[in-house]
């Protein structure tokens, strides 16, 4: 049986933090605030995978009250989610995700993001598709108060 999951995440942009998206550090004047590295893209993908497998969400598995996850790379969290799916005998079919950010332009980094995600999930790069869009100056992402990401995944029992 094929199952689908949808994930969404958002973090506030603040000074004094690195901007990490898809496991790529992007030079920018502000970064995302969060307990981990605040990588909204990887968090949305992790939530989509957990949801597809009916395993809850990232807050359940990696609570911000646990210092073990303070500043952790979200690539490590995504690898852990992959392991949870493998334990339940799920195989990842595909990942389709969208970053919503007014700035910076992330197009030059998308190939590396796709590669990072594929490596963390141990799937082929052609099973991963990251896109980016702006909100034409509208909303909290359009006014550069934050960045959000959406993800949809397909998984199947082995």
């Amino acid at each position: 049986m094929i199952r689908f999951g949808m994930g969404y995440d958002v973090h506030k942009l603040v000074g004094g933090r690195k901007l990490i998206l898809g496991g790529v550090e992007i030079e920018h004047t502000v970064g995302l605030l969060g307990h981990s590295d605040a990588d909204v893209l990887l968090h949305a993908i992790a939530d989509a995978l957990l949801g597809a497998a009916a395993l809850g969400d990232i807050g359940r598995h990696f609570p911000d009250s646990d210092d073990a996850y303070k500043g952790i790379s979200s690539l490590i969290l995504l690898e852990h989610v992959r392991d949870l799916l493998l334990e339940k005998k799920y195989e990842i079919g595909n990942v389709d995700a969208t970053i919503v950010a007014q700035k910076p332009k992330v197009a030059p980094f998308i190939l590396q993001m796709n590669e990072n995600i594929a490596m963390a999930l141990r799937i082929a790069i052609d099973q991963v598709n990251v896109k980016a869009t702006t909100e034409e100056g509208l909303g909290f992402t359009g006014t550069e108060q934050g960045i959000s990401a959406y993800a949809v995944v397909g998984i199947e029992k082995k």
Side-chain angles (χ1 to χ4, degrees):
M1 171 180 22
I2 297 174
R3 298 173 64 120
F4 300 95
M6 186 268 185
Y8 171 77
D9 196 36
V10 59
H11 284 276
K12 182 179 181 176
L13 285 164
V14 298
R17 292 275 301 191
K18 292 179 181 179
L19 178 60
I20 300 173
L21 294 169
V24 178
E25 186 175 332
I26 300 170
E27 189 70 33
H28 195 45
T29 57
V30 291
L32 294 169
L33 181 64
H35 187 66
S36 66
D37 64 5
D39 188 328
V40 293
L41 176 60
L42 298 186
H43 293 183
I45 293 168
D47 258 350
L49 290 166
L50 290 167
L55 294 173
D57 61 23
I58 60 173
R60 176 174 146 197
H61 292 275
F62 316 108
D64 61 9
S65 58
D66 189 337
D67 283 344
Y69 304 116
K70 187 167 179 62
I72 195 169
S73 167
S74 293
L75 286 167
I76 294 170
L77 303 180
L78 191 59
E79 290 170 354
H80 182 70
V81 168
R82 174 205 64 216
D83 291 345
L84 290 172
L85 266 66
L86 288 174
E87 286 174 17
K88 298 290 185 181
K89 307 282 192 249
Y90 285 109
E91 189 172 278
I92 299 167
N94 74 302
V95 173
D96 185 32
T98 302
I99 300 165
V100 183
Q102 196 65 33
K103 289 182 185 172
K105 297 295 182 195
V106 298
F109 307 100
I110 286 179
L111 177 58
Q112 184 63 55
M113 292 177 195
N114 286 338
E115 290 172 354
N116 290 348
I117 294 162
M119 192 176 322
L121 296 176
R122 293 187 190 145
I123 59 177
I125 194 163
D126 67 356
Q127 291 174 268
V128 179
N129 187 61
V130 173
K131 307 174 293 296
T133 190
T134 69
E135 294 212 282
E136 304 296 328
L138 300 172
F140 70 89
T141 56
T143 57
E144 299 175 54
Q145 296 175 58
I147 293 177
S148 64
Y150 296 87
V152 176
V153 301
I155 65 172
E156 189 170 9
K157 268 286 198 202
K158 294 186 202 177

